[in-house]
């Protein structure tokens, strides 16, 4: 399947609740590469590279995270970069 890359910003109760750890763990499970980081406004930014299905499955897992909540999400497709790992930065 074709690999894509998405730039995503998650809004809601997403900092201080293990969101980045869950994202990293889930990305590794689905073979997704890229990175995730906290932003100063309380949101979380991510770039995820993998198949469309795997990225969507990862987002579904993050939406079900019991300690936090995603109130909104902005996502756009960006060029594939060929990363080899998923990092918390």
């Amino acid at each position: 399947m074709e690999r894509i890359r998405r730039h995503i910003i998650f809004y809601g109760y997403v900092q201080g609740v293990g969101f980045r750890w869950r994202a990293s763990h889930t990305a590794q499970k689905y073979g997704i590469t890229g990175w995730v980081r906290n932003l100063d406004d309380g949101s979380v930014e991510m770039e995820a590279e993998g198949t469309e299905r795997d990225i969507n499955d990862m987002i579904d897992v993050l939406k079900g995270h019991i300690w936090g909540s995603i109130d909104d999400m902005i996502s756009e497709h960006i060029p594939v970069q060929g990363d080899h790992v998923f990092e918390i930065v």
Side-chain angles (χ1 to χ4, degrees):
M1 295 185 79
E2 181 182 358
R3 291 179 68 83
I4 62 156
R5 189 174 186 96
R6 284 172 57 188
H7 177 256
I8 308 164
I9 299 180
F10 298 95
Y11 297 94
Y13 187 43
V14 292
Q15 287 193 17
V17 293
F19 188 89
R20 291 176 302 152
W21 181 87
R22 172 65 74 193
S24 177
H25 177 76
T26 305
Q28 290 173 15
K29 176 181 174 183
Y30 286 102
I32 295 168
T33 61
W35 52 264
V36 63
R37 67 179 169 197
N38 287 340
L39 295 178
D40 292 339
D41 66 358
S43 63
V44 172
E45 180 181 30
M46 174 188 296
E47 286 192 10
E49 185 170 313
T51 67
E52 184 84 39
R53 180 180 181 150
D54 287 341
I55 293 171
N56 288 338
D57 287 347
M58 178 183 69
I59 291 170
D60 287 343
V61 169
L62 295 174
K63 286 180 178 177
H65 185 45
I66 60 173
W67 301 109
S69 63
I70 297 170
D71 296 333
D72 196 12
M73 181 180 83
I74 297 173
S75 175
E76 67 177 333
H77 289 273
I78 59 174
V80 171
Q81 295 183 7
D83 295 333
H84 298 286
V85 297
F86 191 93
E87 300 178 289
I88 298 173
V89 295

